[in-house]
Amino acid sequence: MEELKQRILRDGSAKAEGDVVMVSSFLNHQLDPQLLMHCAEEFARLFKDSGVNKIVTIEASGIAPAILTGYLMHLPVVFIKKKNPKNVDESWKSWVYSFTRADDTTVCIDKRFLTADDRILFIDDFLADGHASGSVIHFCRQSGAQIAGMGFLVEKGFAKGGQFLRDHGITYHALATIRRINPDNTLEIE
């Protein structure tokens, strides 16, 4: 998606140590609602014929694009929660490695909101090594739900997440792919 690519080139930055991409001014910390709505419109277009009946995302940066996509597709949105909240009686459990925090976190999803009747679209901000996606695969194996597809605002094309999803036969779309972080911390985008 050209608008997102140009925004990353204009306002994004990188820290080569650790391959960190900074998009905090428009995607993660401060949000650009118009840009996110355009991204949601693209996800809705890409997945309109996939038979999705529910959108799933993970706390926290995937929530905004997932809600907007759910709004456009007239579908409910379910958040994968970090830790196990007291208001959830029975949940599917997994864990996810957080690239930005560099730690493992237990995650859960209420069993009432992910069942064998569901055909889900997973929406998240970044695809790096596929850790969050792996948790979604694990949740679907536990619940019997099917993955219709996955959508990411940004893929780190130099990381292994895309190959991980292809190896698992999962259809996914990234709206922008960062090919590499250059030694001067500039970004190359496909």
Side-chain angles (χ1 to χ4, degrees):
M1 190 178 122
E2 193 59 32
E3 179 183 7
L4 178 58
K5 292 174 185 178
Q6 291 305 314
R7 187 67 181 271
I8 292 167
L9 289 172
R10 187 183 83 210
D11 296 332
S13 61
K15 293 182 179 180
E17 64 280 353
D19 294 329
V20 176
V21 176
M22 305 293 291
V23 290
S24 300
S25 68
F26 57 99
L27 291 183
N28 305 105
H29 198 71
Q30 173 175 276
L31 303 177
D32 180 333
Q34 290 74 29
L35 174 63
L36 287 171
M37 180 57 85
H38 296 156
C39 292
E41 290 167 349
E42 184 65 5
F43 285 140
R45 184 189 71 75
L46 289 167
F47 292 103
K48 69 179 180 199
D49 297 323
S50 61
V52 172
N53 71 333
K54 193 170 284 179
I55 294 175
V56 174
T57 190
I58 189 164
E59 292 180 330
S61 295
I63 292 174
I67 288 175
L68 293 171
T69 304
Y71 174 79
L72 293 171
M73 295 180 79
H74 304 282
L75 296 173
V77 178
V78 179
F79 304 162
I80 297 169
K81 300 271 193 178
K82 294 180 180 169
K83 312 252 180 200
N84 198 18
K86 292 180 182 179
N87 62 349
V88 175
D89 292 326
E90 294 185 49
S91 63
W92 307 112
K93 292 180 179 42
S94 191
W95 65 270
V96 66
Y97 177 79
S98 171
F99 185 82
T100 53
R101 288 190 323 274
D103 66 2
D104 291 324
T105 302
T106 300
V107 292
C108 71
I109 192 165
D110 192 313
K111 286 185 177 184
R112 297 173 299 166
F113 305 131
L114 188 65
T115 71
D117 296 328
D118 291 321
R119 187 165 164 79
I120 68 155
L121 169 59
F122 176 63
I123 299 285
D124 204 5
D125 60 340
F126 270 89
L127 172 60
D129 288 333
H131 296 293
S133 303
S135 292
V136 172
I137 293 167
H138 186 233
F139 284 131
C140 289
R141 285 182 182 152
Q142 292 175 73
S143 67
Q146 294 181 354
I147 299 170
M150 295 188 176
F152 302 93
L153 297 175
V154 181
E155 177 182 0
K156 292 181 179 178
F158 53 85
K160 54 189 171 185
Q163 188 60 52
F164 172 77
L165 293 179
R166 289 187 293 277
D167 289 347
H168 281 83
I170 294 175
T171 299
Y172 80 96
H173 294 280
L175 302 185
T177 300
I178 297 171
R179 183 178 313 153
R180 64 181 252 161
I181 298 174
N182 294 315
D184 64 355
N185 290 340
T186 57
L187 302 170
E188 287 185 25
I189 297 185
E190 292 180 21

